[in-house]
Amino acid sequence: MTQSITRLNPPSLPDAGEMGYSQISIAEPGRIAFISGQVAWRPNGEPVPESLTEQMEIVAINAKAALDAIGATPQDVLIARVYLVNLTPERLEELMPPFLAIFEGAQPSVTGVGVAALAAPDLQVEMEMTVRLPD
């Protein structure tokens, strides 16, 4: 089987690989899935934790469940977009370890967006993914 996604960090751009993601992801022809933004809501309705780190850990669980539902793995993620309420360098630094853990070293392309609010007042982080489905 050929590799379905090529990851690039060309020398003409900052080396995102050092930070755990890729500047460019190239997908071979195939089916693409778009996974809606995952937040810290749980199927059993437990309250959303106040901690950003704990919220990102739940987002990771939900993202993994979405990947499992379509038969994909973190290696199949082309790009992840993270929306963070009140984005600051400190909050981004707090978010990154549980965020990067989701991808198990795959280093997809990543975009981070600072927002004023999400779907509910207790939510601090949301992540959506574009995934190349495995053959």
Side-chain angles (χ1 to χ4, degrees), residues 11-135:
S12 56
L13 294 171
D15 186 3
E18 288 183 5
M19 295 177 54
Y21 68 96
S22 298
Q23 291 284 7
I24 301 167
S25 295
I26 302 169
E28 296 297 323
R31 295 183 331 144
I32 303 292
F34 301 88
I35 297 176
S36 292
Q38 300 301 305
V39 296
W41 288 337
R42 298 177 244 199
N44 62 10
E46 286 183 51
V48 174
E50 290 183 27
S51 158
L52 174 59
T53 300
E54 289 178 82
Q55 285 198 25
M56 191 65 228
E57 289 168 353
I58 296 167
V59 168
I61 291 167
N62 291 344
K64 179 71 169 102
L67 290 172
D68 289 347
I70 60 173
T73 71
Q75 298 292 328
D76 300 310
V77 176
L78 294 167
I79 187 166
R81 288 175 197 86
V82 178
Y83 303 91
L84 180 59
V85 174
N86 300 321
L87 190 148
T88 64
E90 296 78 21
R91 286 174 59 77
L92 191 57
E93 187 174 325
E94 181 182 347
L95 174 87
M96 289 307 286
F99 170 76
L100 291 174
I102 297 166
F103 302 107
E104 301 170 358
Q107 297 192 351
S109 296
V110 172
T111 298
V113 182
V115 297
L118 293 169
D122 54 351
L123 296 174
Q124 299 181 56
V125 62
E126 182 169 347
M127 182 179 70
E128 65 182 13
M129 297 180 291
T130 302
V131 180
R132 197 267 187 202
L133 294 173
D135 296 324

